[in-house]
Amino acid sequence: MSAKNTVFGLKGNIVYSKTPMQLEICENGYLVCEEGKVKGVYPALPDTYAGIPVKDYGDRLLIPGLSDLHVHAPQYAFRGLGMDMELLEWLETNTFPEEAKYRDLDYAKKAYGIFAENLRKSATTRACIFATVHREATLYLMDQLEKAGLRTMVGKVNMDRNCPDYLSEASARSSAEETKLWLEDVKSRAYHNTMPILTPRFIPSCTDELMKLLKEIQTETGLPVQSHLSENYGEISWVQELCPESEFYGDAYDRFGLFGNDVKTVMAHCVHSDAREIARMKANGVFVAHCPESNMNLASGVAPIRTYLDEGLHVGLGSDVAGGSTENLFLAMAHAIQASKLRWRLKDDSLKPLTLPETFYMATKGGGAFFGKVGSFEEGYDLDLIVLDDARLKHPQQLSIEQRLERMVYLADEREIHAKYVAGEQLF
């Protein structure tokens, strides 16, 4: 089945979100897709659609595809290593030496081939992805993701200070020129599934001149922006030293016009955002990419996601490989719940732990909103869909559909993914 089949139906146990508060469940129901868009979910197939091709997935679960709002493709090669370090030491010891290898296109082809293949097998259908400063390697990554059929935003990273000489770009001007050349190459390739996103790594690695030049590029192109925000206490203090005129970390982006408003922006982590930063993110419509496993692994802390949800911020999930050890966003959901419980118990008992419906919403509709009408089975949404087969996970008791989904959050990996659709196209 694909978008080329103008109208088709899928049958199974359908689960999706309209709001963060509860799951929408249609047992043994029908989902109708027309030209890649959801037409509706029905307990019985309407007469209007009599005769359309229907794929019956039996007792399996049909859920929206998951959106990963923050993942570093070049770090996939060393996931699971260096987890006893904090952020800034980890960057110097693991990240920068590894990313430097991507100047060698042969190495990049091996590493990115593995990343793209495994992401294709996962439950992720949309992703915001950091590459490296290397233009050719970034283009190769985009080529592989285009072939994989996933809908992704990929960024050539910008860095012109506070990183090793072997990785730093020569100047703000040369970094901006490389970015322009990269965008010209992207345009010439006429990608369908993959698009560019501007990627200043974070404020400490980008001079004011570079940020100004990136804003000029953003104004010319209308591209979205991704970066890091308030991940670690040391990083926040560093930003204050580098940008003493800024009111807070997010303000250091905002004064260059790269923090929401008319620029679609996603900021990873936001572990230690204060009331001023939260208010600015809300006012500017900035998306938060919550990366719970990475924040625990790198001793950054636990973001106050309950506050963000209550304030009405846009919140999605990120794997943040290799700060996070896996691209499996089911585990990101589980980690989000677990981390919120630790925060509630150990730091602030006024913020109730996250629930399954809330984390499911963040992984689907919440994060999917960064890509448009994505992450739900409401009418008009792109049909991104995962078919889950939990037959391997045997159990003696009768389980409800919601209980079966909860077990998937804690127990599923690529073995449970029976089929995958992106924008109405069946990948497998």
Side-chain angles (χ1 to χ4, degrees), residues 198 200 210-212 214-216 218-219 223 225 250 253-260 263 265 267 286:
L198 294 178
L210 177 53
M211 295 296 282
K212 290 174 184 176
L214 288 176
K215 177 56 184 176
E216 291 178 7
Q218 195 285 319
T219 300
L223 288 176
V225 172
Y253 292 104
D254 203 15
R255 65 196 179 95
F256 295 108
L258 297 174
F259 199 66
V263 180
T265 303
M267 288 285 163
V286 172

Side-chain angles (χ1 to χ4, degrees), residues 181-421:
L181 289 172
W182 165 62
L183 292 175
E184 290 174 8
D185 288 336
V186 168
K187 187 175 181 180
S188 71
R189 279 164 156 77
Y191 293 127
H192 174 66
N193 299 316
T194 310
M195 71 169 288
I197 182 170
L198 294 178
T199 307
R201 187 183 205 107
F202 65 159
I203 288 293
S205 71
C206 299
T207 61
D208 287 2
E209 183 184 359
L210 177 53
M211 295 296 282
K212 290 174 184 176
L213 292 170
L214 288 176
K215 177 56 184 176
E216 291 178 7
I217 294 171
Q218 195 285 319
T219 300
E220 293 169 5
T221 61
L223 288 176
V225 172
Q226 61 179 350
S227 197
H228 299 84
L229 181 67
S230 298
E231 181 178 359
N232 171 284
Y233 285 127
E235 171 202 17
I236 294 169
S237 297
W238 196 10
V239 170
Q240 191 60 53
E241 292 174 10
L242 293 168
C243 308
E245 69 283 3
S246 296
E247 297 176 44
F248 47 86
Y249 195 160
D251 186 52
Y253 292 104
D254 203 15
R255 65 196 179 95
F256 295 108
L258 297 174
F259 199 66
N261 283 326
D262 59 344
V263 180
K264 183 171 280 190
T265 303
V266 58
M267 288 285 163
H269 307 301
C270 308
V271 176
H272 303 292
S273 297
D274 63 16
R276 299 169 302 168
E277 191 161 272
I278 293 169
R280 188 76 60 86
M281 287 192 287
K282 180 178 180 178
N284 291 12
V286 172
F287 278 72
V288 174
H290 179 40
C291 308
E293 188 196 4
S294 173
N295 297 157
M296 291 185 285
N297 283 339
L298 299 178
S300 297
V302 180
I305 300 302
R306 168 65 58 217
T307 297
Y308 299 161
L309 293 177
D310 289 348
E311 287 289 334
L313 270 65
H314 300 293
V315 185
L317 290 179
S319 65
D320 194 28
V321 167
S325 63
T326 175
E327 73 279 14
N328 183 348
L329 286 181
F330 291 118
L331 282 180
M333 284 186 252
H335 288 136
I337 294 171
Q338 292 163 344
S340 72
K341 287 181 175 179
L342 289 173
R343 196 181 202 284
W344 168 72
R345 176 62 69 194
L346 300 175
K347 185 172 183 178
D348 185 353
D349 63 6
S350 71
L351 297 183
K352 294 181 180 179
L354 299 175
T355 65
L356 173 70
E358 288 171 326
T359 54
F360 183 77
Y361 179 91
M362 289 191 289
T364 56
K365 187 176 179 180
F370 192 74
F371 302 90
K373 296 186 76 173
V374 171
S376 181
F377 295 149
E378 296 166 84
E379 184 177 0
Y381 275 65
D382 285 0
L383 181 71
D384 286 14
L385 181 144
I386 301 297
V387 179
L388 295 174
D389 186 346
D390 58 355
R392 179 180 68 89
L393 305 173
K394 299 185 184 299
H395 54 91
Q397 75 276 49
Q398 193 73 23
L399 296 176
S400 68
I401 300 300
E402 183 168 349
Q403 287 173 321
R404 289 172 62 190
L405 176 65
E406 185 171 14
R407 292 176 90 237
M408 292 293 93
V409 167
Y410 286 90
L411 302 175
D413 57 30
E414 69 276 1
R415 290 173 291 179
E416 275 61 62
I417 301 172
H418 180 78
K420 184 172 183 175
Y421 296 73

Side-chain angles (χ1 to χ4, degrees), residues 49-255:
Y49 298 112
I52 67 170
V54 175
K55 174 68 175 178
D56 188 349
Y57 283 109
D59 193 41
R60 298 182 179 94
L61 305 180
L62 278 56
I63 69 168
L66 309 184
S67 289
D68 189 339
L69 289 189
H70 186 65
V71 57
H72 292 263
Q75 295 178 16
Y76 195 77
F78 71 87
R79 65 197 188 283
L81 298 175
M83 296 291 93
D84 55 352
M85 302 178 197
E86 288 192 50
L87 172 64
L88 298 180
E89 178 191 6
W90 180 81
L91 287 173
E92 293 288 343
T93 305
N94 276 12
T95 302
F96 292 151
E98 176 64 29
E99 291 192 6
K101 297 176 184 177
Y102 289 76
R103 68 166 68 90
D104 178 352
L105 190 57
D106 288 337
Y107 183 86
K109 287 180 178 181
K110 292 176 185 176
Y112 283 153
I114 295 168
F115 172 77
E117 179 183 4
N118 287 354
L119 198 64
R120 185 178 185 273
K121 293 176 183 175
S122 75
T124 298
T125 52
R126 311 264 169 158
C128 293
I129 300 171
F130 279 57
T132 65
V133 297
H134 309 100
R135 177 159 49 98
E136 288 189 5
T138 301
L139 289 166
Y140 183 81
L141 170 62
M142 296 177 80
D143 289 344
Q144 297 311 298
L145 291 167
E146 178 73 13
K147 292 175 186 176
L150 307 174
R151 294 292 175 94
T152 60
M153 297 182 185
V154 178
K156 188 206 84 67
V157 171
N158 296 100
M159 294 194 295
D160 70 334
R161 69 173 176 182
N162 292 326
C163 59
D165 290 343
Y166 58 75
L167 197 58
S168 180
E169 295 174 288
S171 67
R173 183 65 58 182
S174 65
S175 178
E177 289 304 318
E178 274 294 291
T179 299
K180 290 178 181 179
L181 289 172
W182 165 62
L183 292 175
E184 290 174 8
D185 288 336
V186 168
K187 187 175 181 180
S188 71
R189 279 164 156 77
Y191 293 127
H192 174 66
N193 299 316
T194 310
M195 71 169 288
I197 182 170
L198 294 178
T199 307
R201 187 183 205 107
F202 65 159
I203 288 293
S205 71
C206 299
T207 61
D208 287 2
E209 183 184 359
L210 177 53
M211 295 296 282
K212 290 174 184 176
L213 292 170
L214 288 176
K215 177 56 184 176
E216 291 178 7
I217 294 171
Q218 195 285 319
T219 300
E220 293 169 5
T221 61
L223 288 176
V225 172
Q226 61 179 350
S227 197
H228 299 84
L229 181 67
S230 298
E231 181 178 359
N232 171 284
Y233 285 127
E235 171 202 17
I236 294 169
S237 297
W238 196 10
V239 170
Q240 191 60 53
E241 292 174 10
L242 293 168
C243 308
E245 69 283 3
S246 296
E247 297 176 44
F248 47 86
Y249 195 160
D251 186 52
Y253 292 104
D254 203 15
R255 65 196 179 95

